[in-house]
Amino acid sequence: MKYYFNNNKIAEMRKERNLTQRQLAKEIETSQANLSRWEQGLNVPSIIECWKIADYFGVSIDFICGREEF
């Protein structure tokens, strides 16, 4: 099984809700710079940060990370 972080999911969900990086970063208690790096694929959020993102958007961590097969 291939493991990777799908940085596009965060950007897609953020844009669907018409949120700026700054707005989403505030909601999930991180910096806009962190969010930008995640969306660019330069860094990967921690498990705690993934939980916050998943909770905010009402999706699973597997969905955020791009894991679709079990």
Side-chain angles (χ1 to χ4, degrees):
M1 184 177 301
K2 184 177 178 182
Y3 294 96
Y4 64 94
F5 179 76
N6 186 343
N7 54 304
N8 293 327
K9 291 286 186 188
I10 297 173
E12 289 171 11
M13 293 185 298
R14 178 179 60 77
K15 290 174 184 177
E16 284 176 7
R17 291 205 183 177
N18 295 313
L19 295 168
T20 65
Q21 286 182 342
R22 188 174 308 276
Q23 289 170 320
L24 178 56
K26 183 178 179 182
E27 292 293 325
I28 61 171
E29 300 174 329
T30 192
S31 69
Q32 182 271 326
N34 275 341
L35 186 57
S36 177
R37 287 189 288 269
W38 300 337
E39 288 186 1
Q40 293 176 58
L42 300 175
N43 284 345
V44 177
S46 71
I47 190 68
I48 300 297
E49 292 161 330
C50 285
W51 282 332
K52 289 180 180 182
I53 296 164
D55 287 348
Y56 181 81
F57 287 108
V59 298
S60 69
I61 291 177
D62 284 331
F63 178 78
I64 291 170
C65 295
R67 182 177 176 197
E68 298 170 4
E69 295 180 18
F70 296 94

